[in-house]
């Protein structure tokens, strides 16, 4: 993701992936919203990055959609603060990381000053 147009491309690709996995409209919206927030963070704060889509299955047969959003930016100095509702480093509403965490079933972040950031989120279908 290097341009604003790339953010729209991410949204469209994730929407298509949610349909392919079999999510209903509400879960489609949750995943696309989380992807949009994470992609925008990587673009704005990380100077761009990549979004990788994976299609895991769990032992119970549920299908999932995993998003891996990475950047090579400065990293997140205070991850606990960044996950707090209302925290913002700019003009946003401060729902990015915390909002994405609430919208997805699984959420993890690897970051550090000067290390960039990798956020991995997964949403599972209901069986």
């Amino acid at each position: 993701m290097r341009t604003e147009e790339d953010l729209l491309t991410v949204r469209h690709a994730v929407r298509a992936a949610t349909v392919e996995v079999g999510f209903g409209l509400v879960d489609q919206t949750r995943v696309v919203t989380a992807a949009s927030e994470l992609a925008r963070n990587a673009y704005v704060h990380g100077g761009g990055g990549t979004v990788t889509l994976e299609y895991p299955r769990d032992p119970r047969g549920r299908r999932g959609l995993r998003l891996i959003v990475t950047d090579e930016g400065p990293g997140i100095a205070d991850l606990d603060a960044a996950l707090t509702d209302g925290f913002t480093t700019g003009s946003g509403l401060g729902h990015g990381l915390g909002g994405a965490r609430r919208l997805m079933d699984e959420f993890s972040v690897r970051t550090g000053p000067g290390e960039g950031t990798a956020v991995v989120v997964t949403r599972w279908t209901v069986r």
Side-chain angles (χ1 to χ4, degrees):
M1 301 166 297
R2 298 279 177 227
T3 67
E4 288 280 337
E5 292 79 25
D6 292 341
L7 299 177
L8 186 59
T9 300
V10 167
R11 288 181 62 87
H12 289 300
V14 171
R15 171 75 67 193
T18 62
V19 171
E20 181 180 329
V21 171
F23 287 116
L25 185 58
V26 171
D27 281 336
Q28 289 176 31
T29 302
R30 286 181 178 131
V31 175
V32 170
T33 300
S36 181
E37 293 288 345
L38 296 173
R40 179 157 293 283
N41 279 354
Y43 173 69
V44 171
H45 303 294
T50 61
V51 178
T52 303
L53 305 179
E54 295 180 350
Y55 301 88
R57 285 191 182 265
D58 75 1
R60 297 182 291 173
R62 291 185 306 170
R63 296 179 70 194
L65 180 59
R66 178 170 296 133
L67 312 174
I68 304 165
V69 182
T70 61
D71 68 59
E72 295 179 9
I76 302 170
D78 187 345
L79 184 57
D80 289 336
L83 288 167
T84 303
D85 281 343
F87 177 84
T88 182
T89 58
S91 60
L93 297 174
H95 297 303
L97 282 179
R101 180 172 60 178
R102 283 189 302 277
L103 292 168
M104 302 297 282
D105 295 320
E106 297 174 9
F107 177 93
S108 67
V109 179
R110 182 181 43 78
T111 189
E115 296 178 11
T117 301
V119 181
V120 180
V121 295
T122 305
R123 183 89 187 166
W124 296 101
T125 58
V126 178
R127 277 217 152 205

